Amino acid sequence: MAATAPGRPQGRLHPGQIIRDGIQVILKEPGLLFGLAVIAIFAATALDLLVQALLPPGDLSHVLGVIIQASGSAVGMVAVTRAVLAHADGGQIGFGEAFHALGPSAFRVFGTSFLISIGVLIGMVLFVVPGLWLATLWIVAVPAAIVEELSPLSAARRSSQLTRGNRWPALVLVILSVVVGVGLGLAIALLIGLPVGMFVGADAIETESGGYTRFGQVLESVGVVVQTVLSSTFAALTWRRLREIWAEAHGGGRDPWAAGPSHAGEGRPG
């Protein structure tokens, strides 16, 4: 076997296999995975609607709404990621265990998601390519933050480490994940929204100013649920596979970032 350059894993990430495995997991556990996402996302939507009812329209209510919805997405990502990894390891967890002690994890995911969103957005403004490349480097930052209990910056560095030697396949996976996730989310939202628009009118979904009505927000949340399940599933399985590749490349040696089991509380480099 040819020698491998230090720090460059020999194994390959196969985007198509990740997508297929992810869809299989979702089809085997649809009630659990979508149920977890629905609880988190729709609880946030209900809280957002309550804030809008209590506060006058303005910047404050808008900012609070963004924070609430982002927090709901973070909680959903934590729960779905834990459930997917448990299934991938041959186990199974319920709703209570998936949501158990998610406070610290949700804060880490919130921070990591914010960091990734800002970085990718800036990169997209700079002629798109830098944004896609950052999304590739940080493709498993969220599961790293959840499972390995890493801060946002450490999770980003961890993801960059794991993707080394597999960044072109990771880029393909980023594109496939976005296409599949956004496509299915929009398809389901349209499946629900089009009949409403045809029989009740578009004003049942959108306001004259271009915002969403309360029903429109609920409809948007349906798409967010689908995207959360798909993106969290693909990211979790990608993280798991990249860790396997890293271990294979280092002869099964100790991973300095994570000494514990694959979805328990894990250590980090000192």
Side-chain angles (χ1 to χ4, degrees):
M1 182 179 295
T4 303
R8 297 190 67 84
Q10 290 179 321
R12 299 298 294 171
L13 180 69
H14 298 286
Q17 187 64 50
I18 294 292
I19 297 294
R20 287 192 296 272
D21 290 348
I23 291 175
Q24 286 179 2
V25 171
I26 293 169
L27 292 176
K28 288 179 180 177
E29 296 285 355
L32 175 63
L33 299 182
F34 282 101
L36 291 169
V38 164
I39 290 172
I41 302 300
F42 277 85
T45 300
L47 183 56
D48 183 13
L49 292 173
L50 178 61
V51 168
Q52 291 181 40
L54 295 176
L55 294 178
D59 292 340
L60 177 59
S61 62
H62 178 71
V63 170
L64 286 176
V66 170
I67 293 173
I68 290 168
Q69 294 289 359
S71 299
S73 294
V75 170
M77 283 188 279
V78 172
V80 171
T81 296
R82 287 178 171 169
V84 168
L85 290 176
H87 180 90
D89 287 343
Q92 190 172 16
I93 61 176
F95 284 82
E97 192 175 354
F99 283 121
H100 178 65
L102 59 77
S105 295
F107 278 115
R108 286 191 295 270
V109 171
F110 184 96
T112 303
S113 298
F114 180 78
L115 174 66
I116 292 172
S117 298
I118 294 299
V120 171
L121 178 61
I122 293 173
M124 287 295 185
V125 172
L126 299 174
F127 306 109
V128 179
V129 173
L132 283 175
W133 196 243
L134 284 177
T136 300
L137 294 181
W138 296 340
I139 187 173
V140 293
V142 167
I146 296 169
V147 185
E148 302 181 44
E149 299 182 355
L150 300 175
S151 68
L153 287 175
S154 293
R157 289 196 298 269
R158 171 62 161 162
S159 181
S160 180
Q161 177 209 49
L162 287 175
T163 56
R164 191 177 302 144
N166 275 288
R167 286 175 183 159
W168 287 112
L171 174 60
V172 174
L173 185 55
V174 166
I175 295 171
L176 285 177
S177 298
V178 170
V179 170
V180 173
V182 173
L184 282 178
L186 286 175
I188 292 174
L190 287 173
L191 188 64
I192 300 173
L194 279 178
V196 173
M198 290 174 60
F199 293 104
V200 180
D203 54 353
I205 300 174
E206 291 186 347
T207 64
E208 293 181 358
S209 60
Y212 285 117
T213 63
R214 292 180 180 178
F215 176 77
Q217 284 185 263
V218 172
L219 187 61
E220 183 186 32
S221 296
V222 173
V224 174
V225 165
V226 175
Q227 292 174 40
T228 297
V229 171
L230 289 169
S231 63
S232 298
T233 300
F234 297 149
L237 295 178
T238 302
W239 171 85
R240 186 174 182 271
R241 176 57 187 146
L242 287 175
R243 280 194 60 183
E244 291 173 351
I245 292 171
W246 192 262
E248 292 165 3
H250 291 78
R254 179 181 179 274
D255 185 345
W257 284 79
S262 66
H263 54 267
E266 302 191 14
R268 66 204 71 162

